[in-house]
């Protein structure tokens, strides 16, 4: 397995890494500022959660209309353009007197633009690195995301104590603009991986192809559902502890960082392949939130959040499995579908958690979402054990394009165990 040092020396890896780091920092500072702004204006846990995680709700539309562009657009142009779009949208949200409805509209439009970003970014990463380099490369990105979130939420919390949320939003917009510049100047002008124009029909056709295989289908569901429900717990940090939400977000990011190191570098391949390992990691992901109905104090809550977020690292193994089950020319689309589906479920879960908090309390809502995550985990793990041995898939005809034409590992072992992920960025 390649070392982190060798990855950093890989051409184009560093600018992609640095540009993503700037975007993650912008997202954490801007998200905390926007959630605080909306909560102060409305006093609503639901609207606060939707303002922070609302972009995820638009992912489902992007996944059904725009996702074919993940492999059919030049990566450098697409990534820098998305970063600039976020810079403009975040600056717009900072306008004084902008109604909450308009703010949420901008949030959803930015989510639509972001639905394309995951597929383009991770497809490019898969193209830049060798086959055995994707897992450590993604692990390094996840650890960077954890560090940026720790720094971003801690810094964002401190800035909100000194500055207004609107000023913090402008700082976030500047970080997005910086990311666009780094990506534009640092990446090579690569051609699209697949020929043809992006279209809704092509998006649907490829989604259907990817979804048709039961092993891939269970892998997608394992990546989407359990951690999406747990993010519903995270979406209530602001209403659970209004004066210490930044601390809880930073603890969650630290736990994610620790989990990524453990899975990405410390667990040997033979251990990662065992079905029991991802299942245990998934239970860690949700179980620490179960006692939140008792409304533990900040020190106990921070420890629970840290332990829970370590479970997000299990997704690295499942992403590696997804790449083994997917033709190479569809890698960007598959990773984009994973990212869009996961973020959609996060947005839906944040909305459900916020609505439940309106009816009961943020603490009870967090426990409810955690119980749902544990239940879904067990159901998917049971289904995965029933997957029969796979037969080799027929080779599909592909259009001419610059990328390789036959994917790795189409005749893999039986379907995935439930190795689940935290898609580190965005969460």
């Amino acid at each position: 397995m390649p070392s982190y040092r060798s990855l950093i020396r890989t051409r184009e890896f560093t600018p992609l890494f640095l540009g993503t780091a700037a975007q993650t920092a912008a997202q954490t500072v801007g998200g905390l500022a926007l959630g605080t702004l909306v909560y102060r204006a409305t006093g609503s846990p639901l609207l606060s959660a939707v303002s922070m995680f609302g972009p995820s709700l638009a992912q489902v539309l992007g996944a059904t209309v725009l996702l074919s562009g993940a492999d059919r657009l030049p990566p450098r142009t697409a990534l820098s353009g998305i970063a600039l779009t976020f810079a403009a949208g975040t600056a717009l949200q900072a306008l004084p007197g902008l109604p909450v409805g308009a703010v949420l509209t901008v949030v959803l439009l930015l989510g639509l633009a972001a639905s394309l970003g995951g597929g383009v970014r991770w497809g490019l990463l898969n193209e830049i690195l060798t086959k055995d380099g994707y897992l450590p490369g993604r692990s390094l990105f996840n650890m960077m995301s954890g560090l940026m979130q720790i720094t971003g939420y801690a810094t964002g919390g401190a800035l909100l104590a000194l500055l207004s949320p609107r000023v913090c939003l402008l700082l976030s917009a500047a970080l997005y603009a910086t990311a666009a510049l780094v990506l534009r100047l640092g990446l090579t002008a690569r051609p699209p991986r697949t020929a043809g124009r992006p279209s809704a029909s092509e998006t649907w056709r490829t989604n259907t192809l990817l979804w048709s295989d039961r092993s891939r289908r269970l892998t997608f569901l394992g990546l989407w559902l359990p951690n999406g429900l747990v993010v519903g717990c995270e979406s209530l940090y602001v209403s659970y502890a209004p004066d210490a939400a930044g601390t809880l977000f930073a603890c969650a990011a630290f736990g994610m960082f620790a989990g990524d190191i453990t899975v990405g570098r410390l667990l040997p391949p033979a251990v990662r392949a065992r079905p029991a390992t991802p299942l245990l990691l998934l239970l860690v992901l949700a179980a620490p939130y179960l006692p939140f109905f008792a409304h533990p104090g900040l020190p106990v809550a921070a420890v629970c959040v840290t332990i829970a977020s370590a479970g997000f690292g299990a997704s690295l193994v499942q992403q590696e499995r997804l790449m083994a089950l997917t033709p190479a020319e569809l890698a960007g689309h598959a990773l984009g579908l994973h990212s869009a589906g996961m973020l959609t479920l996060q947005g839906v879960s944040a909305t459900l958690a916020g609505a439940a908090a309106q009816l009961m309390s943020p603490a009870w809502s967090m426990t409810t979402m955690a119980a749902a995550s544990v239940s879904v985990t067990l159901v998917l793990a049971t289904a995965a054990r029933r997957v029969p041995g796979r037969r080799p898939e027929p080779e599909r005809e592909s259009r001419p394009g610059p990328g390789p034409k036959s994917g790795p590992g189409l005749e893999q072992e039986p379907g995935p165990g439930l190795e689940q992920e935290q898609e580190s960025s965005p969460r």
Side-chain angles (χ1 to χ4, degrees), residues 80-150:
S80 57
I82 290 170
L84 280 177
T85 300
F86 267 82
T90 304
L92 180 61
Q93 290 170 335
L95 290 176
L98 192 67
V100 172
V103 169
L104 296 179
T105 299
V106 174
V107 164
L108 294 177
L109 290 175
L110 290 179
L112 186 60
S115 65
L116 189 58
V120 176
R121 180 181 300 109
W122 306 129
L124 178 60
L125 180 66
N126 190 59
E127 189 176 351
I128 289 172
L129 301 178
T130 59
K131 180 180 177 182
D132 62 346
Y134 181 82
L135 188 143
R138 190 62 190 269
S139 171
L140 191 57
F141 268 81
N142 283 8
M143 288 188 290
M144 170 274 294
S145 178
L147 288 174
M148 287 296 101
Q149 289 185 40
I150 292 170

Side-chain angles (χ1 to χ4, degrees), residues 262-315:
T262 301
V263 176
R265 297 305 300 175
L266 301 182
L267 288 183
V271 175
R272 290 200 309 266
R274 295 174 185 171
T277 299
L279 176 59
L280 290 174
L281 286 170
L282 278 172
L283 291 177
V284 168
L285 178 65
Y289 283 105
L290 294 175
F292 267 66
F293 72 93
H295 209 295
L298 181 62
V300 175
V303 171
C304 290
V305 163
T306 303
I307 295 173
S309 296
F312 281 123
S315 68

Side-chain angles (χ1 to χ4, degrees), residues 310-331:
F312 281 123
S315 68
L316 291 170
V317 182
Q318 200 165 11
Q319 284 186 66
E320 186 179 45
R321 176 65 61 85
L322 179 62
M323 287 295 90
L325 297 171
T326 303
E329 73 272 15
L330 300 181

Side-chain angles (χ1 to χ4, degrees), residues 31-418:
L32 184 59
L34 188 62
T36 302
L37 179 68
V38 172
Y39 188 68
R40 288 179 183 177
T42 65
S44 169
L46 172 60
L47 293 179
S48 175
V50 170
S51 68
M52 294 188 69
F53 294 89
S56 303
L57 295 172
Q59 296 280 335
V60 65
L61 180 59
T64 56
V65 177
L66 302 177
L67 201 51
S68 62
D71 294 305
R72 291 172 173 80
L73 292 175
R76 183 179 70 173
T77 301
L79 290 175
S80 57
I82 290 170
L84 280 177
T85 300
F86 267 82
T90 304
L92 180 61
Q93 290 170 335
L95 290 176
L98 192 67
V100 172
V103 169
L104 296 179
T105 299
V106 174
V107 164
L108 294 177
L109 290 175
L110 290 179
L112 186 60
S115 65
L116 189 58
V120 176
R121 180 181 300 109
W122 306 129
L124 178 60
L125 180 66
N126 190 59
E127 189 176 351
I128 289 172
L129 301 178
T130 59
K131 180 180 177 182
D132 62 346
Y134 181 82
L135 188 143
R138 190 62 190 269
S139 171
L140 191 57
F141 268 81
N142 283 8
M143 288 188 290
M144 170 274 294
S145 178
L147 288 174
M148 287 296 101
Q149 289 185 40
I150 292 170
T151 304
Y153 284 125
T155 303
L159 288 173
L160 285 170
L162 300 173
L163 304 171
S164 71
R166 287 189 171 85
V167 173
C168 293
L169 285 171
L170 291 176
L171 293 175
S172 174
L175 284 171
Y176 278 122
T178 300
L181 185 64
V182 170
L183 294 168
R184 180 67 185 178
L185 297 180
L187 295 178
T188 301
R190 289 172 175 262
R193 282 178 292 275
T194 301
R197 298 179 63 180
S199 67
S201 61
E202 186 63 28
T203 297
W204 272 103
R205 189 185 70 82
T206 307
N207 284 346
T208 301
L209 173 66
L210 292 171
W211 192 252
S212 63
D213 179 78
R214 189 165 188 254
S215 293
R216 279 197 297 262
R217 189 161 61 246
L218 286 174
T219 305
F220 280 125
L221 291 174
L223 285 163
W224 294 347
L225 293 172
N227 75 346
L229 291 166
V230 168
V231 168
C233 301
E234 296 182 355
S235 71
L236 298 176
Y237 289 169
V238 172
S239 53
Y240 180 84
D243 297 327
T247 299
L248 293 179
F249 277 116
C251 289
F254 177 76
M256 182 185 68
F257 176 81
D260 287 329
I261 290 180
T262 301
V263 176
R265 297 305 300 175
L266 301 182
L267 288 183
V271 175
R272 290 200 309 266
R274 295 174 185 171
T277 299
L279 176 59
L280 290 174
L281 286 170
L282 278 172
L283 291 177
V284 168
L285 178 65
Y289 283 105
L290 294 175
F292 267 66
F293 72 93
H295 209 295
L298 181 62
V300 175
V303 171
C304 290
V305 163
T306 303
I307 295 173
S309 296
F312 281 123
S315 68
L316 291 170
V317 182
Q318 200 165 11
Q319 284 186 66
E320 186 179 45
R321 176 65 61 85
L322 179 62
M323 287 295 90
L325 297 171
T326 303
E329 73 272 15
L330 300 181
H333 193 116
L335 290 168
L337 184 60
H338 143 56
S339 179
M342 184 191 66
L343 291 172
T344 296
L345 264 296
Q346 289 180 5
V348 170
S349 298
T351 303
L352 291 175
Q358 296 275 104
L359 298 175
M360 28 184 168
S361 70
W364 270 102
S365 179
M366 292 166 83
T367 295
T368 302
M369 300 301 290
S373 179
V374 171
S375 300
V376 169
T377 295
L378 295 175
V379 170
L380 289 176
T382 301
R385 287 196 294 269
R386 296 175 179 172
V387 176
R390 298 186 68 203
R391 291 176 297 179
E393 295 183 14
E395 191 172 321
R396 69 184 284 265
E397 181 181 350
S398 62
R399 298 183 184 182
K405 295 296 174 270
S406 61
L410 289 179
E411 298 90 22
Q412 291 292 322
E413 64 269 24
L418 195 64

